Amino acid sequence: MKILAYEHVGIRVSDREQATAFYEKLGFRQRADFPEHQANEMATETGIFVNLIFNGVKRPDGRNILLDEPVKHPGVTHPAFVVDDLDAVVSLCRNEGIAITEGPVMIGERRRVLFIRDPDGNVLEFDELTDRLDPPGEA
């Protein structure tokens, strides 16, 4: 078996309209609705997909259970999206009133990153790669 590509990430949210509007600000558009699964499919014009899952319960304090609690439970903490211009993401966040929670900063030698959170506290990472590494086995 070969893993050929990464298809999407599922992001659990508590408010469909609020979450959809937030992800639209980032360039995602709804392509499909799956009411039987309480989910949708959103994609960017470049074909990057997320599924929003509409069965989340809003935490009263807005804390992310995987990242903001002292006990660190296993789980996916965030998706990371590669962008061509991280400064454009900074501008978009400023123009749209989206708080940048960290960055831009360099992590290692090959990526400049920033982090934001959606209305439910789900973390999103945006990476501008400075030096793409060859895929495994193709050096």
Side-chain angles (χ1 to χ4, degrees):
M1 175 197 78
K2 287 184 187 177
I3 295 176
L4 301 176
Y6 192 83
E7 211 282 333
H8 73 270
V9 62
I11 302 172
R12 181 168 284 122
V13 298
S14 64
D15 183 302
R16 180 186 185 116
E17 290 74 29
Q18 184 183 40
T20 299
F22 177 84
Y23 284 89
E24 285 175 345
K25 289 177 184 179
L26 299 176
F28 289 91
R29 299 293 174 259
Q30 182 169 296
R31 293 180 45 139
D33 187 32
F34 307 112
E36 68 278 11
H37 299 289
Q38 299 179 48
N40 77 356
E41 176 179 87
M42 299 185 80
T44 65
E45 64 183 24
T46 57
I48 305 303
F49 287 81
V50 298
N51 286 14
L52 298 183
I53 304 163
F54 306 117
N55 62 4
V57 175
K58 190 88 157 166
R59 295 189 75 201
D61 56 5
R63 292 172 61 86
N64 181 304
I65 198 161
L66 291 177
L67 294 171
D68 299 329
E69 301 298 333
V71 175
K72 302 302 181 197
H73 298 281
V76 176
T77 60
H78 64 278
F81 302 103
V82 176
V83 297
D84 63 345
D85 183 353
L86 198 64
D87 293 326
V89 179
V90 170
S91 293
L92 176 126
C93 289
R94 288 184 180 144
N95 292 339
E96 295 293 342
I98 299 170
I100 295 171
T101 56
E102 183 182 348
V105 297
M106 291 297 296
I107 295 182
E109 294 181 12
R110 73 177 196 97
R111 76 171 58 102
R112 184 171 165 245
V113 308
L114 69 80
F115 296 87
I116 64 173
R117 290 189 181 214
D118 75 6
D120 284 293
N122 294 308
V123 174
L124 306 173
E125 177 181 333
F126 293 87
D127 295 0
E128 181 180 275
L129 301 181
T130 58
D131 180 28
R132 292 183 183 259
L133 297 177
D134 291 327
E138 295 185 20

PDB file of all heavy atoms in Angstrom, residues 49-71:
ATOM      1  N   PHE A  49      -9.095  20.569   1.058  1.00  0.00           N
ATOM      2  CA  PHE A  49     -10.408  20.244   1.611  1.00  0.00           C
ATOM      3  C   PHE A  49     -10.407  20.195   3.134  1.00  0.00           C
ATOM      4  O   PHE A  49      -9.430  19.756   3.752  1.00  0.00           O
ATOM      5  CB  PHE A  49     -10.867  18.865   1.116  1.00  0.00           C
ATOM      6  CG  PHE A  49     -11.286  18.850  -0.317  1.00  0.00           C
ATOM      7  CD1 PHE A  49     -10.350  18.766  -1.330  1.00  0.00           C
ATOM      8  CD2 PHE A  49     -12.635  18.920  -0.655  1.00  0.00           C
ATOM      9  CE1 PHE A  49     -10.736  18.751  -2.666  1.00  0.00           C
ATOM     10  CE2 PHE A  49     -13.031  18.902  -1.976  1.00  0.00           C
ATOM     11  CZ  PHE A  49     -12.085  18.821  -2.985  1.00  0.00           C
ATOM     12  N   VAL A  50     -11.512  20.621   3.724  1.00  0.00           N
ATOM     13  CA  VAL A  50     -11.835  20.376   5.126  1.00  0.00           C
ATOM     14  C   VAL A  50     -13.286  19.931   5.175  1.00  0.00           C
ATOM     15  O   VAL A  50     -14.084  20.282   4.304  1.00  0.00           O
ATOM     16  CB  VAL A  50     -11.641  21.616   6.046  1.00  0.00           C
ATOM     17  CG1 VAL A  50     -10.195  22.063   6.066  1.00  0.00           C
ATOM     18  CG2 VAL A  50     -12.566  22.741   5.693  1.00  0.00           C
ATOM     19  N   ASN A  51     -13.595  19.125   6.148  1.00  0.00           N
ATOM     20  CA  ASN A  51     -14.981  18.805   6.461  1.00  0.00           C
ATOM     21  C   ASN A  51     -15.294  19.435   7.803  1.00  0.00           C
ATOM     22  O   ASN A  51     -14.568  19.201   8.772  1.00  0.00           O
ATOM     23  CB  ASN A  51     -15.206  17.292   6.570  1.00  0.00           C
ATOM     24  CG  ASN A  51     -15.209  16.597   5.232  1.00  0.00           C
ATOM     25  OD1 ASN A  51     -14.805  17.147   4.230  1.00  0.00           O
ATOM     26  ND2 ASN A  51     -15.655  15.357   5.221  1.00  0.00           N
ATOM     27  N   LEU A  52     -16.347  20.243   7.860  1.00  0.00           N
ATOM     28  CA  LEU A  52     -16.817  20.754   9.140  1.00  0.00           C
ATOM     29  C   LEU A  52     -17.853  19.785   9.663  1.00  0.00           C
ATOM     30  O   LEU A  52     -18.751  19.372   8.922  1.00  0.00           O
ATOM     31  CB  LEU A  52     -17.404  22.154   8.990  1.00  0.00           C
ATOM     32  CG  LEU A  52     -16.440  23.231   8.498  1.00  0.00           C
ATOM     33  CD1 LEU A  52     -17.141  24.588   8.468  1.00  0.00           C
ATOM     34  CD2 LEU A  52     -15.178  23.291   9.327  1.00  0.00           C
ATOM     35  N   ILE A  53     -17.721  19.406  10.914  1.00  0.00           N
ATOM     36  CA  ILE A  53     -18.630  18.454  11.553  1.00  0.00           C
ATOM     37  C   ILE A  53     -19.416  19.232  12.590  1.00  0.00           C
ATOM     38  O   ILE A  53     -18.838  19.813  13.512  1.00  0.00           O
ATOM     39  CB  ILE A  53     -17.842  17.285  12.174  1.00  0.00           C
ATOM     40  CG1 ILE A  53     -16.982  16.632  11.085  1.00  0.00           C
ATOM     41  CG2 ILE A  53     -18.790  16.289  12.827  1.00  0.00           C
ATOM     42  CD1 ILE A  53     -15.882  15.759  11.594  1.00  0.00           C
ATOM     43  N   PHE A  54     -20.734  19.252  12.424  1.00  0.00           N
ATOM     44  CA  PHE A  54     -21.590  20.175  13.168  1.00  0.00           C
ATOM     45  C   PHE A  54     -22.231  19.574  14.417  1.00  0.00           C
ATOM     46  O   PHE A  54     -23.377  19.845  14.718  1.00  0.00           O
ATOM     47  CB  PHE A  54     -22.692  20.716  12.241  1.00  0.00           C
ATOM     48  CG  PHE A  54     -22.166  21.330  10.987  1.00  0.00           C
ATOM     49  CD1 PHE A  54     -22.474  20.793   9.758  1.00  0.00           C
ATOM     50  CD2 PHE A  54     -21.335  22.449  11.032  1.00  0.00           C
ATOM     51  CE1 PHE A  54     -21.992  21.374   8.593  1.00  0.00           C
ATOM     52  CE2 PHE A  54     -20.845  23.026   9.873  1.00  0.00           C
ATOM     53  CZ  PHE A  54     -21.188  22.478   8.646  1.00  0.00           C
ATOM     54  N   ASN A  55     -21.496  18.757  15.160  1.00  0.00           N
ATOM     55  CA  ASN A  55     -22.077  18.169  16.370  1.00  0.00           C
ATOM     56  C   ASN A  55     -21.277  18.507  17.627  1.00  0.00           C
ATOM     57  O   ASN A  55     -21.407  17.839  18.641  1.00  0.00           O
ATOM     58  CB  ASN A  55     -22.243  16.661  16.215  1.00  0.00           C
ATOM     59  CG  ASN A  55     -20.923  15.937  16.004  1.00  0.00           C
ATOM     60  OD1 ASN A  55     -19.860  16.535  16.048  1.00  0.00           O
ATOM     61  ND2 ASN A  55     -20.998  14.646  15.762  1.00  0.00           N
ATOM     62  N   GLY A  56     -20.477  19.546  17.561  1.00  0.00           N
ATOM     63  CA  GLY A  56     -19.679  19.945  18.717  1.00  0.00           C
ATOM     64  C   GLY A  56     -20.514  20.685  19.752  1.00  0.00           C
ATOM     65  O   GLY A  56     -21.527  21.296  19.436  1.00  0.00           O
ATOM     66  N   VAL A  57     -20.084  20.585  20.986  1.00  0.00           N
ATOM     67  CA  VAL A  57     -20.713  21.307  22.091  1.00  0.00           C
ATOM     68  C   VAL A  57     -19.754  22.418  22.502  1.00  0.00           C
ATOM     69  O   VAL A  57     -18.588  22.161  22.801  1.00  0.00           O
ATOM     70  CB  VAL A  57     -21.000  20.366  23.281  1.00  0.00           C
ATOM     71  CG1 VAL A  57     -21.544  21.136  24.462  1.00  0.00           C
ATOM     72  CG2 VAL A  57     -21.945  19.253  22.857  1.00  0.00           C
ATOM     73  N   LYS A  58     -20.251  23.640  22.493  1.00  0.00           N
ATOM     74  CA  LYS A  58     -19.430  24.799  22.856  1.00  0.00           C
ATOM     75  C   LYS A  58     -19.005  24.684  24.314  1.00  0.00           C
ATOM     76  O   LYS A  58     -19.835  24.452  25.187  1.00  0.00           O
ATOM     77  CB  LYS A  58     -20.253  26.078  22.647  1.00  0.00           C
ATOM     78  CG  LYS A  58     -19.462  27.340  22.755  1.00  0.00           C
ATOM     79  CD  LYS A  58     -18.891  27.666  21.416  1.00  0.00           C
ATOM     80  CE  LYS A  58     -18.566  29.113  21.237  1.00  0.00           C
ATOM     81  NZ  LYS A  58     -17.736  29.266  20.057  1.00  0.00           N
ATOM     82  N   ARG A  59     -17.726  24.826  24.573  1.00  0.00           N
ATOM     83  CA  ARG A  59     -17.230  24.830  25.952  1.00  0.00           C
ATOM     84  C   ARG A  59     -17.426  26.222  26.518  1.00  0.00           C
ATOM     85  O   ARG A  59     -17.094  27.217  25.862  1.00  0.00           O
ATOM     86  CB  ARG A  59     -15.766  24.430  25.983  1.00  0.00           C
ATOM     87  CG  ARG A  59     -15.585  22.972  25.516  1.00  0.00           C
ATOM     88  CD  ARG A  59     -14.199  22.472  25.739  1.00  0.00           C
ATOM     89  NE  ARG A  59     -14.028  22.202  27.163  1.00  0.00           N
ATOM     90  CZ  ARG A  59     -12.849  22.145  27.750  1.00  0.00           C
ATOM     91  NH1 ARG A  59     -11.754  22.344  27.081  1.00  0.00           N
ATOM     92  NH2 ARG A  59     -12.776  21.893  29.039  1.00  0.00           N
ATOM     93  N   PRO A  60     -17.963  26.320  27.727  1.00  0.00           N
ATOM     94  CA  PRO A  60     -18.268  27.636  28.294  1.00  0.00           C
ATOM     95  C   PRO A  60     -17.068  28.580  28.375  1.00  0.00           C
ATOM     96  O   PRO A  60     -17.186  29.765  28.205  1.00  0.00           O
ATOM     97  CB  PRO A  60     -18.800  27.324  29.693  1.00  0.00           C
ATOM     98  CG  PRO A  60     -18.974  25.863  29.773  1.00  0.00           C
ATOM     99  CD  PRO A  60     -18.286  25.233  28.610  1.00  0.00           C
ATOM    100  N   ASP A  61     -15.876  28.026  28.564  1.00  0.00           N
ATOM    101  CA  ASP A  61     -14.695  28.870  28.711  1.00  0.00           C
ATOM    102  C   ASP A  61     -13.934  29.029  27.398  1.00  0.00           C
ATOM    103  O   ASP A  61     -12.921  29.719  27.353  1.00  0.00           O
ATOM    104  CB  ASP A  61     -13.767  28.312  29.793  1.00  0.00           C
ATOM    105  CG  ASP A  61     -13.363  26.867  29.525  1.00  0.00           C
ATOM    106  OD1 ASP A  61     -13.726  26.313  28.454  1.00  0.00           O
ATOM    107  OD2 ASP A  61     -12.670  26.282  30.371  1.00  0.00           O
ATOM    108  N   GLY A  62     -14.397  28.370  26.330  1.00  0.00           N
ATOM    109  CA  GLY A  62     -13.753  28.490  25.030  1.00  0.00           C
ATOM    110  C   GLY A  62     -12.409  27.806  24.921  1.00  0.00           C
ATOM    111  O   GLY A  62     -11.674  28.004  23.974  1.00  0.00           O
ATOM    112  N   ARG A  63     -12.075  26.986  25.896  1.00  0.00           N
ATOM    113  CA  ARG A  63     -10.776  26.318  25.890  1.00  0.00           C
ATOM    114  C   ARG A  63     -10.791  25.098  24.985  1.00  0.00           C
ATOM    115  O   ARG A  63     -11.773  24.393  24.886  1.00  0.00           O
ATOM    116  CB  ARG A  63     -10.385  25.922  27.312  1.00  0.00           C
ATOM    117  CG  ARG A  63     -10.094  27.145  28.186  1.00  0.00           C
ATOM    118  CD  ARG A  63      -9.890  26.787  29.643  1.00  0.00           C
ATOM    119  NE  ARG A  63      -8.777  25.886  29.868  1.00  0.00           N
ATOM    120  CZ  ARG A  63      -7.508  26.254  30.032  1.00  0.00           C
ATOM    121  NH1 ARG A  63      -7.192  27.524  29.987  1.00  0.00           N
ATOM    122  NH2 ARG A  63      -6.574  25.367  30.253  1.00  0.00           N
ATOM    123  N   ASN A  64      -9.652  24.865  24.335  1.00  0.00           N
ATOM    124  CA  ASN A  64      -9.465  23.697  23.486  1.00  0.00           C
ATOM    125  C   ASN A  64      -9.033  22.538  24.389  1.00  0.00           C
ATOM    126  O   ASN A  64      -8.005  22.608  25.055  1.00  0.00           O
ATOM    127  CB  ASN A  64      -8.400  23.992  22.428  1.00  0.00           C
ATOM    128  CG  ASN A  64      -8.156  22.849  21.488  1.00  0.00           C
ATOM    129  OD1 ASN A  64      -7.834  21.744  21.910  1.00  0.00           O
ATOM    130  ND2 ASN A  64      -8.286  23.116  20.213  1.00  0.00           N
ATOM    131  N   ILE A  65      -9.831  21.468  24.392  1.00  0.00           N
ATOM    132  CA  ILE A  65      -9.590  20.361  25.329  1.00  0.00           C
ATOM    133  C   ILE A  65      -8.257  19.649  25.068  1.00  0.00           C
ATOM    134  O   ILE A  65      -7.665  19.085  25.988  1.00  0.00           O
ATOM    135  CB  ILE A  65     -10.779  19.377  25.327  1.00  0.00           C
ATOM    136  CG1 ILE A  65     -10.727  18.508  26.571  1.00  0.00           C
ATOM    137  CG2 ILE A  65     -10.828  18.568  24.054  1.00  0.00           C
ATOM    138  CD1 ILE A  65     -12.024  17.842  26.916  1.00  0.00           C
ATOM    139  N   LEU A  66      -7.761  19.685  23.839  1.00  0.00           N
ATOM    140  CA  LEU A  66      -6.493  19.018  23.544  1.00  0.00           C
ATOM    141  C   LEU A  66      -5.275  19.889  23.828  1.00  0.00           C
ATOM    142  O   LEU A  66      -4.194  19.372  24.074  1.00  0.00           O
ATOM    143  CB  LEU A  66      -6.456  18.559  22.081  1.00  0.00           C
ATOM    144  CG  LEU A  66      -7.400  17.432  21.719  1.00  0.00           C
ATOM    145  CD1 LEU A  66      -7.311  17.132  20.229  1.00  0.00           C
ATOM    146  CD2 LEU A  66      -7.109  16.181  22.527  1.00  0.00           C
ATOM    147  N   LEU A  67      -5.440  21.201  23.778  1.00  0.00           N
ATOM    148  CA  LEU A  67      -4.270  22.071  23.906  1.00  0.00           C
ATOM    149  C   LEU A  67      -4.239  22.925  25.156  1.00  0.00           C
ATOM    150  O   LEU A  67      -3.160  23.296  25.622  1.00  0.00           O
ATOM    151  CB  LEU A  67      -4.192  22.994  22.676  1.00  0.00           C
ATOM    152  CG  LEU A  67      -3.917  22.266  21.368  1.00  0.00           C
ATOM    153  CD1 LEU A  67      -4.079  23.211  20.195  1.00  0.00           C
ATOM    154  CD2 LEU A  67      -2.529  21.657  21.377  1.00  0.00           C
ATOM    155  N   ASP A  68      -5.393  23.279  25.680  1.00  0.00           N
ATOM    156  CA  ASP A  68      -5.436  24.265  26.761  1.00  0.00           C
ATOM    157  C   ASP A  68      -5.591  23.669  28.151  1.00  0.00           C
ATOM    158  O   ASP A  68      -5.704  24.412  29.120  1.00  0.00           O
ATOM    159  CB  ASP A  68      -6.591  25.251  26.513  1.00  0.00           C
ATOM    160  CG  ASP A  68      -6.414  26.015  25.218  1.00  0.00           C
ATOM    161  OD1 ASP A  68      -5.262  26.258  24.823  1.00  0.00           O
ATOM    162  OD2 ASP A  68      -7.434  26.363  24.602  1.00  0.00           O
ATOM    163  N   GLU A  69      -5.598  22.375  28.250  1.00  0.00           N
ATOM    164  CA  GLU A  69      -5.748  21.711  29.547  1.00  0.00           C
ATOM    165  C   GLU A  69      -4.402  21.193  30.022  1.00  0.00           C
ATOM    166  O   GLU A  69      -3.545  20.850  29.206  1.00  0.00           O
ATOM    167  CB  GLU A  69      -6.755  20.555  29.441  1.00  0.00           C
ATOM    168  CG  GLU A  69      -8.140  20.972  28.975  1.00  0.00           C
ATOM    169  CD  GLU A  69      -8.828  21.944  29.921  1.00  0.00           C
ATOM    170  OE1 GLU A  69      -8.520  21.927  31.132  1.00  0.00           O
ATOM    171  OE2 GLU A  69      -9.656  22.728  29.449  1.00  0.00           O
ATOM    172  N   PRO A  70      -4.197  21.110  31.340  1.00  0.00           N
ATOM    173  CA  PRO A  70      -2.896  20.649  31.847  1.00  0.00           C
ATOM    174  C   PRO A  70      -2.607  19.186  31.506  1.00  0.00           C
ATOM    175  O   PRO A  70      -1.461  18.828  31.267  1.00  0.00           O
ATOM    176  CB  PRO A  70      -2.986  20.860  33.358  1.00  0.00           C
ATOM    177  CG  PRO A  70      -4.408  21.118  33.675  1.00  0.00           C
ATOM    178  CD  PRO A  70      -5.090  21.548  32.409  1.00  0.00           C
ATOM    179  N   VAL A  71      -3.631  18.338  31.445  1.00  0.00           N
ATOM    180  CA  VAL A  71      -3.439  16.937  31.062  1.00  0.00           C
ATOM    181  C   VAL A  71      -3.538  16.875  29.545  1.00  0.00           C
ATOM    182  O   VAL A  71      -4.533  17.302  28.960  1.00  0.00           O
ATOM    183  CB  VAL A  71      -4.497  16.023  31.725  1.00  0.00           C
ATOM    184  CG1 VAL A  71      -4.359  14.599  31.225  1.00  0.00           C
ATOM    185  CG2 VAL A  71      -4.379  16.085  33.239  1.00  0.00           C
TER     186      VAL A  71
END
